[in-house]
């Protein structure tokens, strides 16, 4: 063991017990062998003794010479049996950090000078292990326990501890970083402890933290506001001055902070986020905007907004100085009230305003202008704002020439064909020259107005086509009525064995086929007769499932998905079924190679209907019916025409073009809405919104009464009574009168309402029933009914018409009772209706 010398009270030399000393027994053994050899030579004969002595001396000489050479080249060292690196030991001995090597629990085999100084050791017996050296509060004990555990488990660990007072009386407080790591020594595991005095480092950190706290305190209470906003609009810092102006609690930052929209008006937020720059740029913008207090009231401010852009072009957190422009407030920059008012008006106006130079480059703009392109980078020139088109370059040239009579331009915004704007250009005063502002551009977004105009144009076109289709259908119904009635008379007078009987049947069947086409035209024009009833859409689909499976064929998979607790709707059952079947047939035809047809139903609440993106859909409760296919899709240029009559993309003879027009008319007449979305190659989805039906008390009572007393028609079609038949078409009137007379009725014929009124008066009101057409010259059916009611309030009336009952009911007094028979009708339908009305 190397005993160290002490300087004062502190050790100045390292303690090293790592080398083991030589053993004296080995020396005594070697000496004994030499003495024994000398004695043995005394007993050997003289002739052998001398050579042996010479040989022994030669052997010892060789060993000595080899030892000298080995010592000279460093192969043998006399400081210990283990070879030692003196340079490494010197470095460790003089290291600034205290180093200790222990074996077992507390057996110290090495301690350098720094550790002896920290421990205040007076000698080798005075050195304490790290665990005993570092004692203090509970948190220190816990750290030492963790280090000791790591030592026993041969793990590395680092801990920092705070001691009061510091080791060896170096101060009132000391900070120490302690490391423990395992080392291998002579096949055994030892532990290397390192103790570093980090008190100066911690003091520097505390000083820096205090300086930072002072800087933050100065910034917080400066007479101007300061805010930092990142690229996503999150407010990462807000000083106390600005927080006070806006009445926000700074503690809120600990729970997620504020967003730009919380402290800025929409106009201000648009301007702040509109700043764009190239990678590496640092942009500074001065913005006169309104911030938003916590209670929603505005605060006029001037922002000195600095943003640095990274190498990827993304904006970093801003450094924004905020000057209060409210008159008399702390931090006010003293600007005039007129300037503040102008800035607020400029950025609050809904009209987008920008100034451009002679090249069209945008120099300044207000908040509304930045919102014209919210999704991407702000345009550098006015040409980048709109899609390429004629007129803008000529208008700019006229503005540069000082012309003031430049016509407004209706242009599409760049990057979005669905958005449009109207631009007004005004030249700057001629006195202003150079490369500065040369024109002012005013812009109003007209997207909503254009959509409304398109919808109105489409609605007007559909209404005009509907009126034309309805007029054609009305006149055509009269023709079909004659054909059907005449064919029935002919069939009644011919036996099935007659050669002409099949031809007459062909006439009648094709007349009914033509009547079906007319009903489709009336459906589009919304003038067909509907018999609405309260329906459960889920039940309707369940009943139609088998038919739909047969309709879509084997190649198409049918998937019906019913929503839960569907609300009731009020619609004509047969017409609604026809709508679903027509859509299924169209979907099947679009999937010639197979696909999937999905029919879905669900409730759509009023709050949800406003967010579906259909501007024409009022906010209300609906039941949604979706028919989706995976077919070829509909081209965009055809989407606006698919509901028009006779429009079809099918081959000649494979479609009339009336299927979707009928769907449109039925849905509209029911009070619903139909929309179509389609993508080429992916498929088409039709969405039908039917209004939710809420039954009234009267409807509930009427349904109950109808169930208790169902109406039954008599099987006997003969009758007696006087009938006034009013019809302006001579052929139709003659055949209808013939039908009624053949059943036993007395019939008076009238070609108009005026003539019918005269006949009614001549018979002193002794008319049992009036059967009248609705649309007639001179006096129509509803007017005739009013005149008859004045003369005989009990007059019974049956209206016949090719139009829907609802088309003329609105022209009658509330609660007016009558029977209705839609054209074309058969003889059986006519006599059944007449007998029921006269019963």
């Amino acid at each position: 063991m190397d005993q160290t010398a002490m300087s004062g009270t502190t050790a100045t030399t390292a303690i090293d017990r790592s080398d083991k000393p030589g053993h004296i027994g080995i020396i005594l053994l070697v000496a004994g062998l030499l003495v024994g050899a000398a004695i043995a030579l005394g007993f050997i004969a003289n002739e052998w003794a001398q050579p042996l002595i010479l040989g022994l001396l030669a052997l010892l000489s060789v060993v000595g010479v080899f030892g000298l050479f080995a010592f000279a080249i460093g192969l043998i060292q006399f400081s210990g049996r283990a070879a030692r690196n003196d340079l490494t030991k010197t470095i460790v001995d003089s290291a600034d950090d205290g180093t200790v090597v222990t074996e077992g629990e507390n057996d110290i085999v090495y301690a350098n000078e720094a550790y002896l100084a920290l421990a205040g050791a007076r000698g080798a017996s005075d050195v304490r292990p790290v665990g005993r050296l570092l004692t203090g509060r509970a948190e220190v004990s816990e750290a030492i326990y963790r280090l000791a555990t790591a030592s026993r488990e041969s793990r590395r660990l680092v801990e920092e501890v705070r001691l009061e007072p510091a080791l060896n009386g170096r101060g009132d407080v000391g900070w120490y970083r302690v490391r423990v790591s395992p080392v291998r020594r002579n096949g055994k595991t030892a532990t290397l402890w390192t103790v570093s005095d980090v008190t100066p480092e911690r003091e520097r950190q505390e000083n820096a933290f205090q300086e930072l706290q002072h800087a933050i305190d100065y910034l917080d209470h400066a007479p101007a506001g300061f805010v930092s906003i990142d690229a996503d609009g999150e407010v990462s810092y807000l000083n106390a001055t600005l927080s006070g102006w806006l009445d926000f609690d700074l503690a809120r930052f600990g729970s997620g902070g504020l967003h730009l929209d919380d402290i800025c008006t929409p106009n201000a937020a648009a301007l702040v986020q509109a700043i764009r720059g190239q990678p590496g740029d640092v942009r500074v913008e001065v913005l006169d905007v309104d911030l938003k207090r916590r209670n929603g009231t505005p605060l006029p401010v001037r922002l000195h907004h600095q943003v640095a852009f990274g190498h990827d072009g993304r904006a970093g957190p801003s450094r924004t100085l905020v000057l209060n422009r409210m008159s008399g407030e702390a931090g006010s920059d003293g600007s005039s009230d007129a300037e503040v008012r102008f800035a607020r008006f400029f950025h609050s106006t809904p009209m987008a305003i920008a100034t451009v130079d002679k090249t069209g480059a945008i120099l300044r703009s207000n908040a509304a202008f930045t919102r014209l392109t919210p999704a991407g980078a702000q345009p550098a020139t006015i040409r980048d704002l709109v899609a390429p088109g004629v007129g803008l370059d000529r208008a700019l040239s006229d503005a540069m020439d000082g012309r003031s009579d430049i016509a407004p331009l209706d242009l599409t915004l760049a990057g979005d064909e669905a958005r449009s704007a109207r631009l007004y250009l005004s030249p700057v005063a001629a006195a202003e020259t150079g490369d500065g502002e040369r024109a002012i551009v005013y812009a109003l977004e007209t997207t909503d107005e254009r959509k409304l105009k398109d919808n109105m144009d489409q609605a007007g076109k559909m209404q005009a086509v509907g009126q034309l289709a309805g007029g054609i259908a009305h006149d055509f119904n009269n023709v079909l009525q004659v054909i059907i009635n005449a064919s029935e008379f002919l069939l009644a007078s011919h036996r099935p064995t007659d050669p002409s009987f099949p031809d007459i049947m062909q006439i009648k069947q094709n007349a009914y086929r033509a009547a079906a086409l007319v009903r489709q035209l009336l459906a589009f024009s919304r003038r067909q007769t509907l018999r609405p009833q309260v329906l459960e859409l889920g039940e309707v689909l369940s009943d139609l499932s088998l038919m739909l499976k047969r309709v879509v064929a084997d190649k198409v998979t049918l998937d019906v998905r019913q929503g839960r607790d569907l609300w009731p709707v009020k619609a004509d059952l047969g017409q609604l079924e026809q709508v679903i079947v027509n859509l299924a047939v169209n979907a099947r035809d679009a999937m010639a190679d197979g696909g999937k047809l999905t029919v879905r139903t669900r409730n759509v609440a009023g709050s949800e209907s406003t967010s579906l993106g259909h501007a024409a859909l009022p906010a209300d409760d609906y039941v949604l019916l979706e028919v989706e296919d995976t077919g070829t899709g509909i081209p965009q240029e055809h989407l606006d025409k698919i509901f028009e009559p006779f429009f079809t993309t099918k081959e000649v003879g494979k479609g009339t073009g009336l299927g979707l027009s009928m769907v449109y008319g039925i849905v509209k007449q029911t009070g619903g809405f139909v929309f179509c979305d389609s993508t080429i190659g992916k498929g088409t989805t039709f969405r039908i919104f039917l209004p939710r039906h809420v039954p009234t008390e009267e409807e509930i009572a009427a349904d109950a009464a109808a169930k208790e007393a169902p109406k039954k028609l008599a099987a006997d079609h003969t009758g007696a009574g006087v009938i006034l038949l009013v019809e302006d078409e001579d052929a139709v009137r003659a055949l209808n009168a013939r039908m009624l007379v053949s059943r036993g009725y007395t019939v008076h014929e009238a070609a108009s309402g005026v003539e019918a009124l005269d006949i009614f008066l001549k018979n002193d009101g002794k008319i049992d029933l009036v059967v009248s057409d609705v649309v007639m010259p001179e006096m129509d059916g509803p007017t005739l009914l009013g005149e008859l009611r004045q003369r005989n309030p009990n007059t019974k009336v049956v209206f016949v018409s090719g139009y829907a009952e609802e088309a003329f009911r609105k022209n009658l007094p509330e609660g007016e009772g009558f029977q209705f028979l839609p054209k074309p009708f058969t003889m059986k339908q006519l006599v059944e209706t007449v007998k029921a009305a006269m019963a």
Side-chain angles (χ1 to χ4, degrees):
M1 179 177 66
D2 298 332
Q3 191 70 22
T4 62
M6 301 292 171
S7 176
T9 61
T10 304
T12 59
T13 305
I15 298 174
D16 191 352
R17 295 171 177 154
S18 60
D19 289 337
K20 294 183 178 179
H23 201 282
I24 193 171
I26 298 176
I27 299 176
L28 294 177
L29 178 61
V30 173
L33 289 175
L34 292 176
V35 172
I39 295 174
L41 290 175
F43 293 98
I44 298 176
N46 291 333
E47 62 274 13
W48 292 101
Q50 187 172 1
L52 290 174
I53 292 172
L54 291 176
L56 180 59
L57 293 174
L59 177 62
L60 294 174
S61 299
V62 171
V63 171
V65 172
F66 177 77
L68 290 174
F69 277 101
F71 178 77
I73 65 175
L75 185 63
I76 297 177
Q77 296 182 6
F78 296 109
S79 60
R81 290 185 300 171
R84 174 181 298 161
N85 188 330
D86 290 332
L87 178 60
T88 302
K89 185 176 185 303
T90 301
I91 293 174
V92 177
D93 285 345
S94 59
D96 293 333
D97 297 337
T99 303
V100 180
V101 178
T102 61
E103 288 183 346
E105 290 291 335
N106 295 309
D107 187 10
I108 298 176
V109 297
Y110 175 80
N112 70 347
E113 298 177 13
Y115 185 78
L116 296 177
L118 288 173
R122 299 176 181 276
S125 60
D126 198 22
V127 180
R128 291 173 292 171
V130 176
R132 296 177 183 176
L133 177 65
L134 303 177
T135 59
R137 293 179 297 183
E139 57 268 22
V140 177
S141 301
E142 291 176 1
I144 296 302
Y145 174 77
R146 290 192 294 269
L147 290 167
T149 302
S151 172
R152 288 192 297 270
E153 296 175 355
S154 298
R155 292 187 291 108
R156 296 177 181 270
L157 186 64
V158 179
E159 295 278 355
E160 282 195 9
V161 296
R162 182 177 184 275
L163 299 180
E164 295 181 3
L167 292 176
N168 201 18
R170 295 185 176 184
D172 295 334
V173 178
W175 284 91
Y176 301 93
R177 183 179 296 119
V178 184
R179 295 183 179 88
V180 61
S181 58
V183 294
R184 300 292 297 176
R185 180 174 177 271
N186 296 329
K188 299 180 180 180
T189 301
T191 303
L192 173 64
W193 297 75
T194 304
V195 182
S196 304
D197 187 353
V198 295
T199 304
E201 178 183 340
R202 279 304 185 100
E203 289 178 347
R204 287 194 298 272
Q205 290 177 352
E206 289 182 357
N207 290 336
F209 180 75
Q210 290 178 355
E211 292 175 0
L212 179 60
Q213 286 294 105
H214 287 309
I216 294 175
D217 184 66
Y218 296 149
L219 184 59
D220 268 347
H221 298 91
F226 186 85
V227 63
S228 181
I229 305 166
D230 63 20
D232 297 324
E234 297 294 333
V235 178
S236 54
Y237 176 76
L238 187 76
N239 75 339
T241 300
L242 183 56
S243 175
W245 291 346
L246 301 179
D247 194 24
F248 278 106
D249 185 2
L250 286 178
R252 186 177 168 187
F253 288 99
S255 60
L258 296 170
H259 191 269
L260 180 62
D261 294 335
D262 296 326
I263 65 171
C264 287
T265 62
N267 289 333
L271 287 171
V272 169
Q273 293 185 313
I275 298 177
R276 302 289 187 269
Q278 299 298 321
D281 284 355
V282 177
R283 294 285 305 276
V284 179
E285 296 285 345
V286 179
L287 306 173
D288 292 309
V289 297
D290 281 355
L291 296 185
K292 182 172 60 177
R293 294 186 176 95
R294 187 165 59 91
N295 60 5
T297 58
L299 174 70
V301 297
R302 169 167 288 179
L303 304 181
H304 293 263
H305 187 60
Q306 176 179 304
V307 182
F309 295 87
H311 294 292
D312 58 352
R314 181 175 173 82
S318 73
R319 295 170 176 83
T320 306
L321 181 67
V322 184
L323 300 179
N324 193 334
R325 304 191 62 165
M326 183 71 75
S327 178
E329 289 288 338
S332 173
D333 62 350
S335 300
S336 66
D337 292 341
E339 183 182 357
V340 174
R341 284 196 299 271
F342 172 77
R344 300 178 74 177
F345 293 156
F346 181 66
H347 291 300
S348 299
T349 176
M351 175 171 281
I353 304 174
T355 58
V356 298
D357 62 11
K358 64 181 181 181
T359 65
I362 297 173
L363 303 179
R364 297 171 185 83
S365 61
N366 68 344
F369 193 88
T370 63
R371 290 199 299 271
L372 290 177
T373 54
Q378 293 298 304
T381 70
I382 194 63
R383 296 180 181 87
D384 299 332
L385 175 67
V386 298
V390 297
L392 180 59
D393 289 335
R394 183 171 62 253
L396 283 172
S397 177
D398 291 343
M400 299 306 141
D401 294 338
R403 295 186 56 184
S404 58
D405 56 344
I406 304 173
L409 304 173
D410 290 311
L411 301 173
T412 301
L413 294 179
D416 191 350
E417 295 182 356
R419 299 181 63 206
S420 60
R422 172 168 291 183
L423 270 60
Y424 302 84
L425 274 72
S426 175
V428 173
E432 300 183 21
T433 57
D435 296 331
E437 300 172 352
R438 297 294 302 275
I440 302 176
V441 179
Y442 304 92
L444 277 175
E445 186 170 357
T446 57
T447 303
D448 293 338
E449 289 79 359
R450 190 179 71 174
K451 288 181 179 179
L452 180 60
K453 181 178 181 299
D454 292 343
N455 290 337
M456 292 181 64
D457 291 344
Q458 180 70 8
K461 180 176 68 174
M462 299 293 277
Q463 183 178 3
V465 175
Q467 289 176 348
L468 175 62
I472 293 174
H474 175 264
D475 293 336
F476 200 49
N477 268 331
N478 286 330
V479 177
L480 291 175
Q481 184 68 65
V482 174
I483 296 174
I484 291 174
N485 291 350
S487 63
E488 285 189 338
F489 278 117
L490 289 173
L491 289 173
S493 61
H494 289 72
R495 295 180 180 179
T497 56
D498 290 344
S500 58
F501 191 87
D503 297 330
I504 300 172
M505 282 296 298
Q506 282 289 337
I507 294 172
K508 182 179 179 180
Q509 290 173 359
N510 280 279
Y512 282 128
R513 183 181 175 188
L517 293 177
V518 174
R519 282 196 298 271
Q520 291 181 343
L521 281 174
L522 288 172
F524 171 76
S525 63
R526 287 174 265 172
R527 296 183 180 181
Q528 65 173 345
T529 300
L530 295 182
R531 300 299 182 192
Q533 56 182 308
V534 179
L535 301 172
E536 296 291 342
L537 195 54
E539 296 178 0
V540 176
L541 273 181
S542 298
D543 295 339
L544 274 179
S545 295
L546 292 177
M547 180 187 294
L548 291 178
K549 288 180 180 179
R550 291 194 297 268
V551 167
V552 299
D554 297 334
K555 292 183 179 181
V556 177
T557 302
L558 177 63
D559 183 12
V560 179
R561 301 182 183 181
Q562 296 276 24
R564 294 184 178 181
D565 302 325
L566 292 179
W567 295 321
V569 297
K570 193 170 185 179
D572 186 300
L573 175 60
Q575 299 294 344
L576 184 58
E577 290 178 343
Q578 190 66 39
V579 165
I580 299 173
V581 171
N582 277 359
L583 293 178
V585 169
N586 285 347
R588 178 202 63 191
D589 295 343
M591 297 182 287
D593 299 327
K596 182 178 181 181
L597 173 62
T598 304
V599 182
R600 290 184 292 264
T601 58
R602 68 182 180 90
N603 293 331
V604 177
S607 57
E608 182 186 357
S609 62
T610 58
S611 62
L612 295 178
H614 301 298
L617 184 66
D620 203 349
D621 293 340
Y622 299 94
V623 178
L624 172 61
L625 170 65
E626 290 183 290
V627 180
E628 179 182 1
D629 65 61
T630 58
T632 56
I634 303 173
Q636 280 301 120
E637 61 270 18
H638 292 165
L639 278 179
D640 293 338
K641 303 177 182 179
I642 58 175
F643 294 120
E644 296 179 5
F646 308 111
F647 176 82
T648 179
T649 58
K650 297 179 181 179
E651 300 176 7
V652 177
K654 292 189 176 181
T656 62
L658 291 174
L660 288 179
S661 65
M662 185 193 68
V663 169
Y664 178 86
I666 292 174
V667 172
K668 285 295 184 181
Q669 194 171 354
T670 307
F673 300 86
V674 57
F675 302 99
C676 177
D677 293 324
S678 186
T679 304
I680 294 296
K682 293 185 178 181
T684 303
T685 302
F686 283 90
R687 295 181 176 88
I688 296 175
F689 294 85
L690 298 176
R692 176 186 182 181
H693 176 69
V694 180
T696 62
E697 295 181 359
E698 292 78 5
E699 289 177 331
I700 296 174
D703 290 342
K707 292 178 181 178
E708 294 177 359
K711 183 183 295 184
K712 294 183 180 179
L713 295 178
D716 184 10
H717 292 163
T718 61
V722 180
I723 297 176
L724 175 59
L725 180 62
V726 188
E727 172 64 57
D728 60 330
E729 289 284 340
D730 296 338
V732 175
R733 186 178 65 254
L735 287 172
N736 289 344
R738 184 179 173 186
M739 286 183 186
L740 294 173
V741 170
S742 67
R743 291 299 186 267
Y745 296 100
T746 301
V747 178
H748 296 286
E749 298 182 37
S752 67
V754 175
E755 184 179 350
L757 189 58
D758 291 338
I759 296 174
F760 187 85
L761 294 175
K762 288 178 181 179
N763 287 272
D764 295 329
K766 294 179 181 179
I767 301 293
D768 298 316
L769 179 67
V770 178
V771 179
S772 173
D773 194 7
V774 174
V775 179
M776 297 180 296
E778 298 184 43
M779 182 184 294
D780 60 7
T783 304
L784 174 62
L785 177 60
E787 295 292 337
L788 295 177
R789 287 280 193 246
Q790 291 179 7
R791 289 158 178 80
N792 186 359
N794 298 321
T795 303
K796 298 177 180 180
V797 175
V798 173
F799 280 128
V800 294
S801 177
Y803 290 135
E805 178 181 335
E806 289 77 8
F808 62 88
R809 179 180 284 275
K810 60 186 178 181
N811 297 326
L812 295 173
E814 185 70 24
E816 188 67 64
F818 61 89
Q819 296 282 347
F820 178 75
L821 181 63
K823 291 181 180 180
F825 48 82
T826 63
M827 183 185 303
K828 179 181 178 181
Q829 291 172 332
L830 175 61
V831 295
E832 284 181 348
T833 303
V834 167
K835 192 157 188 174
M838 296 179 66

